[in-house]
Amino acid sequence: MHPPLDRPHPMCQEEIKALRDCHAKTSKLKFWACNEVKFAVDKCFKLEKQQLLKKLNADYDEKRKLEDEALRDAIGRDQTFEEYLKTDKTYLREMEQAKKSSQTFSEKSFS
């Protein structure tokens, strides 16, 4: 399966046209007939998505820093959530118990 071809895919118009042409020209009983064209469409969609994600995440670190600062200002704390978890005794105790229980499970399973 592929995503809907009606959505805008500016980089992949040639591949989409080739796939539509292939579907129009070949019998539905030969479902493997358009595989090569389909693979080209999938490859193009993958490249398009990678470029889009790269563009969207270009300034991720800066956005994350601004969000952390806004959160600290909103709740009146000077530490990030990750820093808070490192000092939270309840969280650390629960994580240790979870680690121990998963170790005992794996020891029982493979013994």
Side-chain angles (χ1 to χ4, degrees), residues 33-51:
C34 298
N35 281 353
E36 295 301 319
V37 180
K38 166 77 169 63
F39 296 150
V41 170
D42 289 343
K43 185 177 179 180
C44 185
F45 283 171
K46 184 177 179 179
L47 289 172
E48 185 179 64
K49 185 175 182 178
Q50 286 174 346
Q51 288 183 357

Side-chain angles (χ1 to χ4, degrees), residues 12-73:
C12 305
Q13 290 305 308
E14 292 178 23
E15 289 85 355
I16 291 172
K17 184 180 181 327
L19 183 63
R20 286 186 173 151
D21 290 345
C22 183
H23 284 166
K25 293 178 184 175
T26 57
S27 170
K28 299 291 184 215
L29 299 176
K30 292 185 178 181
F31 57 88
W32 65 88
C34 298
N35 281 353
E36 295 301 319
V37 180
K38 166 77 169 63
F39 296 150
V41 170
D42 289 343
K43 185 177 179 180
C44 185
F45 283 171
K46 184 177 179 179
L47 289 172
E48 185 179 64
K49 185 175 182 178
Q50 286 174 346
Q51 288 183 357
L52 178 65
L53 288 174
K54 189 175 183 179
K55 181 181 173 185
L56 290 174
N57 293 327
D59 56 350
Y60 172 78
D61 292 331
E62 183 64 29
K63 286 180 185 177
R64 177 67 192 260
K65 184 179 176 184
L66 291 173
E67 288 173 359
D68 285 344
E69 289 173 3
L71 179 64
R72 278 188 230 140
D73 290 344

